Amino acid sequence: MNRLSNNQGTGAASVNLLELLTQQDDRIAALSAQVPGVPDPAKFVPVSVLTTVQQQLAALSEKVTGGEVNGLIQAALSDGRLLPDMQEQAKSLGNNDIASLKSYLDKAPKVAALRALQTGGKPPANAQDKTGLDADALAVCSLFGHDPKDVATLSQEI
C-alpha cells in the first residue's frame, strides 16, 4: 500500500489510481523509446561470423606459435640444450606457454657432447678396423687388392 501511495498513507482515498496508471504508462513509453527498433549493423555482428573469426584467429595463432615452438626446439636440439627424448615435452610446454619454454631453453646448458662427435666424425688416429689391422696394413691391402680379412687370418697364423 505504501508503494501505491508513495508513502503518503494507507487509506484508499489518498491514492489517485488514474494518475498512478498514467505515470506508469509514461514510464513504459519512455523506456520503449530508448530501445532501438532495428539493431545497428555497425555495432552488432551475427554469431556465426564471430565464431568463424574466432576459429580463424585460433588457427593462425596456433600456426604462428607452432612454427616458433618448432624453431626453438630444433635450435635447442642442434646445440645440445635439449635431448631428443625431451622433444615432445618441450613441444607440449611451448604450445601451452611459449614464454616458459623460452625461459627454460635460455637457462639450459649447452652440452657439447650432444652437439657433435668428439672425433669430428673421423676415426681415431690409431684405430684398427674389425679385422685387427692398423691403417698401414689396410693401405697395403688396398694397394695390392687383397681382402683385409684374408690378410688378418694369415697374420694370425704366422
Side-chain angles (χ1 to χ4, degrees), residues 104-125:
Y104 172 76
L105 293 176
D106 287 343
K107 294 175 186 173
K110 294 181 181 180
V111 181
L114 297 177
R115 286 188 300 185
L117 299 174
Q118 292 177 347
T119 61
K122 299 176 184 174

Side-chain angles (χ1 to χ4, degrees), residues 45-52:
V45 295
V47 173
S48 61
V49 172
L50 176 65
T51 304
T52 302

Side-chain angles (χ1 to χ4, degrees), residues 11-151:
S14 65
V15 176
N16 186 348
L17 191 55
L18 185 58
E19 185 179 324
L20 181 64
L21 289 174
T22 305
Q23 288 175 354
Q24 294 300 329
D25 286 341
D26 291 342
R27 287 183 188 166
I28 291 171
L31 289 173
S32 295
Q34 291 178 357
V35 176
V38 177
D40 183 7
K43 295 181 182 177
F44 302 101
V45 295
V47 173
S48 61
V49 172
L50 176 65
T51 304
T52 302
V53 170
Q54 287 174 334
Q55 290 171 349
Q56 289 174 348
L57 177 63
L60 288 173
S61 295
E62 184 177 330
K63 187 175 183 180
V64 168
T65 302
E68 188 175 358
V69 167
N70 287 338
L72 288 170
I73 290 173
Q74 290 306 317
L77 285 170
S78 66
D79 66 11
R81 290 179 289 162
L82 196 63
L83 296 172
D85 292 343
M86 298 170 63
Q87 185 172 358
E88 287 302 316
Q89 180 184 4
K91 189 172 190 175
S92 175
L93 176 63
N95 288 334
N96 291 332
D97 186 6
I98 195 164
S100 294
L101 177 63
K102 287 180 180 180
S103 174
Y104 172 76
L105 293 176
D106 287 343
K107 294 175 186 173
K110 294 181 181 180
V111 181
L114 297 177
R115 286 188 300 185
L117 299 174
Q118 292 177 347
T119 61
K122 299 176 184 174
N126 59 356
Q128 295 181 346
D129 71 338
K130 294 178 183 176
T131 60
L133 299 176
D134 62 9
D136 293 336
L138 289 172
V140 170
C141 289
S142 173
L143 183 66
F144 289 108
H146 297 297
D147 185 14
K149 291 179 186 176
D150 293 339
V151 173

